[in-house]
Amino acid sequence: MSAQFYSLKAFKARVENLIEQQGEDAPCAGWIYTSEDVLTYDDNGDEVYQSDEVCQDVLTNLQDYDHIHSAIVDAIDTELGECL
């Protein structure tokens, strides 16, 4: 199941719910992107972090990239084929 989270608080609540349902030692995989990942570099090569508004727009719009979800589902299917 794929879900988009718009805050670390919402993500934490989802993880806590999953732990309650599946146990704290249940296997999982995940990729987390935060405002620290939304940056550019200036002419000197220094990191330039973006405003909260820009970060929210960029991170929220990641849900529009269906090929990312498809690639993960395909990878799970491939791994299942190798494990079974």
Side-chain angles (χ1 to χ4, degrees), residues 11-73:
F11 184 73
K12 179 183 175 188
R14 178 66 176 137
V15 169
E16 288 172 350
N17 183 281
L18 289 169
I19 289 170
E20 185 176 310
Q21 291 174 0
Q22 300 180 25
E24 63 183 19
D25 293 325
C28 70
W31 290 261
I32 300 172
Y33 295 91
T34 68
S35 298
E36 290 183 349
D37 299 300
V38 183
L39 63 115
T40 57
Y41 295 90
D42 65 16
D43 292 337
N44 297 320
D46 296 324
E47 296 174 340
V48 178
Y49 291 93
Q50 305 304 306
S51 69
D52 287 343
E53 181 179 285
V54 168
C55 291
Q56 182 172 344
D57 287 345
V58 168
L59 295 171
T60 299
N61 289 335
L62 289 180
Q63 70 182 342
D64 295 334
Y65 291 85
D66 292 335
H67 63 278
I68 295 171
H69 176 72
S70 296
I72 292 170
V73 170

